[in-house]
Amino acid sequence: MKIGLDIMGGDYAPKATVLGAIEAYKTLSADQKLVLIGDREIATSILQENNANPDNFEFVHTTEVIGMGEHPTKAIVQKPDSSISVGFKLLKEGYIQAFSSAGNTGAMLVGGMFSVKTIPGVIRPAMTTIVPKLKGGLGILLDVGANADCKPDNLLQFGVLGSLLAESVYGISNPRVALMNIGEEEEKGNLLTQASYHVMKDTNMFNFVGNIEGRDLFSGEFDIAVCDGFTGNVILKLAESFYVITLKKGFKDEFFDRFNYEQYGGSPILGLNQPVVVGHGISSPEAIKNMVLLSKNMVESNLIDKIKQAFQ
Amino acid sequence: MKIGLDIMGGDYAPKATVLGAIEAYKTLSADQKLVLIGDREIATSILQENNANPDNFEFVHTTEVIGMGEHPTKAIVQKPDSSISVGFKLLKEGYIQAFSSAGNTGAMLVGGMFSVKTIPGVIRPAMTTIVPKLKGGLGILLDVGANADCKPDNLLQFGVLGSLLAESVYGISNPRVALMNIGEEEEKGNLLTQASYHVMKDTNMFNFVGNIEGRDLFSGEFDIAVCDGFTGNVILKLAESFYVITLKKGFKDEFFDRFNYEQYGGSPILGLNQPVVVGHGISSPEAIKNMVLLSKNMVESNLIDKIKQAFQ
């Protein structure tokens, strides 16, 4: 298996990404190879400075970088030799079996949809985030920003995608899918959630457990919470800001520790024909390592095949 | 001035409401009278048990109570002698100049729209919440649940309503209005926020300062954040759950202390022809006191007249 990593993506790239690759390498088996996509010369020197053997890695040299603030679609078209563009080319050709980057999220989403493309039957791919639970364990929230405007069919599909991720990668059996809403009762909500409840309550595609509210995110009895990407993105950033505040205030607690994005590695883009993971812009080496391992887990668990079967 | 208080509304009513009324009374001037609406006998005995003189209050006896879980529209129609229905009748007739309740939020909203009615020109009333700021001071978030589905014109009006509340009641001059969104740039967002940005950036009705994201809620450079009621309600409940978690974890901090709803008293329903405030269901006597004082401040600051002028 060849696992592709964009070493130019992220606020602390290429140093943090190459250091992360060194850590990820230590966990790989002999038949798993990490392919570092980016400036080969810089990567080699960082490896050598850190007493890592460049021969342990494969390199694909690129000459361009898509910046964090660049317009995704324009950047993908105008920078064909960027690490993200080349990464997707390798993924499409089957040279690598997974691709991850802590770079421009929009470029990763657009690049994925342009190159490896959306799985037939999936209306739109979705992005996920991990939510720590107060009683232990985790929940999956999606969509967190790929689809600002959604229809009930989108939310129904997010339930399927989230369930398969929870089962395949996180080992949660018969995962419970909840609808993020503004009341517990069936009739509560906006037009989207009212209609979504209606299609979800009758589905046999996943285990629907009803509505949850904002206050239930960390305590509710669910494994997957689905919402439109606008709501999910607001929730994600608000929750993250709370974690940052507790850090700044010096509060130490097991629950808040589990907000640390580093341990989750990144957000899979669900619904693409190949495993793709986007990392946090501020990714540390630890986060990069876990992003690589998450993309490897997506391959090993056959998540993509399972999604393809579900949408056949 | 006569200030109406529903003494039957809230999880701990009538005890918490009557105790709150005792505290509120101590801050009123001679020409300000608190009108307690609810079961007169119970109220009198609670007052006497607490060494408060019933003669300091005026009573309007009612025989029915709208429960927290009742359907708002049905309850308002089916219980004409409920404390909420009677409160709005007194408000409509001009017998009281403000009405507040910690009871059924939906019934307060529906009751307000049915009785004192929406100010001409206001499409829909909105509910607000107070957001503590990390650097001190506060922000106002609206709508937090009165309007699950919004159009750009709603959000534009929320900017006007929030600005007038900030100026009149909280003494913030030239308040800054931000749009809750999923990116800083003008083109970011869902269809609603993209279109809303467009109408807001050209308005001379308030001081628009652009987009904020979920992470900016406690730190952003704004005084009022506007959003649809679905997003606002999710934010409100999520933020509240964080505060509850910090309490349970035993974290003490000046910033988190300012999440305590008790000190803000309640949420004004903005856009009605009379001052109406809804308190938190779990309102304590301290919260009830501050809810009464907030409704009094809405009268004294002539907020309603200012809103009427703005929408002429």
Side-chain angles (χ1 to χ4, degrees), chain A residues 149 191 213 237 242 249 253, chain B residues 149 191 213 237 242 253:
Chain A
D149 290 286
L191 296 174
E213 300 180 79
K237 287 172 178 166
F242 255 109
K249 299 280 182 189
D253 183 83
Chain B
D149 290 286
L191 295 174
E213 299 179 80
K237 288 173 178 166
F242 253 107
D253 183 83

Side-chain angles (χ1 to χ4, degrees), chain A residues 201-250:
Chain A
K201 73 171 180 175
D202 295 325
T203 191
N204 55 9
M205 296 162 82
F206 51 77
N207 176 16
F208 181 57
V209 295
N211 290 327
I212 57 167
E213 300 180 79
R215 67 166 65 95
D216 305 315
L217 189 66
F218 306 108
S219 56
E221 297 290 328
F222 70 91
D223 301 297
I224 296 116
V226 298
C227 59
D228 66 89
F230 184 91
T231 304
N233 191 270
V234 169
I235 291 174
L236 169 68
K237 287 172 178 166
L238 181 59
E240 200 169 67
S241 79
F242 255 109
Y243 169 61
V244 170
I245 290 168
T246 62
L247 279 184
K248 283 187 181 160
K249 299 280 182 189

Side-chain angles (χ1 to χ4, degrees), chain A:
Chain A
M1 184 203 304
K2 289 191 179 184
I3 306 161
L5 171 66
D6 168 17
I7 58 168
M8 311 309 282
D11 297 344
Y12 306 117
K15 181 148 188 192
T17 45
V18 175
L19 293 180
I22 294 172
E23 293 307 311
Y25 166 76
K26 294 173 185 171
T27 72
L28 299 180
S29 58
D31 62 337
Q32 296 169 334
K33 193 93 183 177
L34 205 41
V35 180
L36 307 186
I37 304 158
D39 189 309
R40 179 177 189 147
E41 201 170 322
I42 292 175
T44 307
S45 79
I46 296 171
L47 288 168
Q48 285 165 343
E49 280 165 25
N50 291 278
N51 304 313
N53 185 353
D55 295 343
N56 293 337
F57 302 90
E58 198 176 314
F59 299 87
V60 174
H61 183 71
T62 60
T63 58
E64 293 176 306
V65 177
I66 295 178
M68 296 302 260
E70 286 193 62
H71 188 282
T73 316
K74 284 184 193 162
I76 285 283
V77 172
Q78 290 168 358
K79 291 185 171 173
D81 201 42
S82 65
S83 48
I84 288 180
S85 299
V86 171
F88 277 117
K89 187 166 161 283
L90 298 172
L91 188 65
K92 186 185 176 184
E93 292 167 351
Y95 186 80
I96 55 177
Q97 281 71 59
F99 179 49
S100 60
S101 170
N104 186 311
T105 300
M108 286 297 286
L109 186 62
V110 170
M113 291 171 71
F114 278 12
S115 63
V116 297
K117 297 195 164 48
T118 305
I119 289 170
V122 175
I123 306 166
R124 285 271 303 180
M127 295 190 63
T128 66
T129 196
I130 293 294
V131 178
K133 291 297 200 69
L134 275 163
K135 289 182 182 170
L138 54 84
I140 295 167
L141 176 71
L142 78 164
D143 173 45
V144 294
N147 309 281
D149 290 286
C150 286
K151 295 204 158 69
D153 284 349
N154 293 111
L155 267 57
L156 186 73
Q157 292 199 344
F158 298 164
V160 178
L161 295 169
S163 292
L164 291 169
L165 178 69
E167 277 177 335
S168 301
V169 174
Y170 296 103
I172 301 168
S173 64
N174 195 28
R176 300 158 298 176
V177 177
L179 177 63
M180 179 57 69
N181 209 333
I182 57 172
E184 288 177 11
E185 302 84 356
E186 177 170 350
E187 70 275 11
K188 288 290 174 75
N190 57 12
L191 296 174
L192 173 64
T193 57
Q194 286 172 340
S196 297
Y197 191 104
H198 196 70
V199 296
M200 284 182 179
K201 73 171 180 175
D202 295 325
T203 191
N204 55 9
M205 296 162 82
F206 51 77
N207 176 16
F208 181 57
V209 295
N211 290 327
I212 57 167
E213 300 180 79
R215 67 166 65 95
D216 305 315
L217 189 66
F218 306 108
S219 56
E221 297 290 328
F222 70 91
D223 301 297
I224 296 116
V226 298
C227 59
D228 66 89
F230 184 91
T231 304
N233 191 270
V234 169
I235 291 174
L236 169 68
K237 287 172 178 166
L238 181 59
E240 200 169 67
S241 79
F242 255 109
Y243 169 61
V244 170
I245 290 168
T246 62
L247 279 184
K248 283 187 181 160
K249 299 280 182 189
F251 295 154
K252 281 297 290 177
D253 183 83
E254 177 277 335
F255 171 67
F256 288 114
D257 289 347
R258 286 189 285 123
F259 273 84
N260 189 342
Y261 75 96
E262 286 184 331
Q263 60 198 300
Y264 306 113
S267 165
I269 303 181
L270 297 178
L272 296 176
N273 275 303
Q274 298 289 345
V276 175
V277 179
V278 184
H280 201 301
I282 58 168
S283 281
S284 64
E286 175 74 9
I288 297 291
K289 179 191 86 173
N290 287 322
M291 178 173 75
V292 169
L293 298 185
L294 175 58
S295 71
K296 186 193 75 163
N297 287 346
M298 288 171 73
V299 180
E300 289 180 334
S301 65
N302 291 315
L303 174 60
I304 306 298
D305 285 342
K306 290 172 185 168
I307 296 175
K308 285 181 183 170
Q309 280 166 25
F311 285 95
Q312 258 181 353

Side-chain angles (χ1 to χ4, degrees), chain B residues 50-198:
Chain B
N50 290 277
N51 303 314
N53 185 353
D55 295 343
N56 293 336
F57 301 91
E58 198 177 314
F59 298 87
V60 174
H61 183 70
T62 60
T63 58
E64 293 176 306
V65 177
I66 295 178
M68 297 302 260
E70 286 193 63
H71 188 282
T73 315
K74 284 183 196 165
I76 286 284
V77 172
Q78 291 168 358
K79 291 186 171 173
D81 201 42
S82 65
S83 49
I84 288 180
S85 299
V86 171
F88 277 117
K89 186 167 161 282
L90 298 173
L91 189 65
K92 187 185 176 186
E93 292 167 352
Y95 187 79
I96 56 177
Q97 282 70 59
F99 179 50
S100 61
S101 169
N104 186 312
T105 301
M108 286 296 287
L109 186 62
V110 170
M113 292 170 70
F114 278 13
S115 63
V116 297
K117 296 198 165 46
T118 305
I119 290 171
V122 174
I123 306 166
R124 286 271 303 179
M127 296 190 62
T128 65
T129 196
I130 293 295
V131 178
K133 291 298 200 70
L134 276 163
K135 289 180 181 170
L138 54 85
I140 295 167
L141 177 71
L142 77 164
D143 176 45
V144 294
N147 309 280
D149 290 286
C150 286
K151 294 206 158 67
D153 283 349
N154 293 110
L155 269 56
L156 186 73
Q157 292 199 343
F158 297 165
V160 178
L161 294 169
S163 291
L164 291 170
L165 177 69
E167 277 178 336
S168 301
V169 175
Y170 296 103
I172 301 168
S173 63
N174 195 28
R176 301 158 296 177
V177 176
L179 176 63
M180 181 55 71
N181 209 332
I182 58 171
E184 288 176 12
E185 303 84 355
E186 177 170 349
E187 70 275 11
K188 288 291 174 75
N190 57 11
L191 295 174
L192 172 65
T193 57
Q194 286 172 339
S196 298
Y197 191 105
H198 196 69

Side-chain angles (χ1 to χ4, degrees), chain B residues 276-306:
Chain B
V276 175
V277 179
V278 184
H280 202 300
I282 58 168
S283 282
S284 64
E286 174 73 10
I288 297 292
K289 179 191 84 172
N290 287 322
M291 178 173 75
V292 169
L293 298 184
L294 175 58
S295 71
K296 186 192 75 162
N297 288 345
M298 288 172 72
V299 181
E300 290 181 333
S301 65
N302 291 316
L303 174 61
I304 306 298
D305 285 342
K306 290 172 186 168

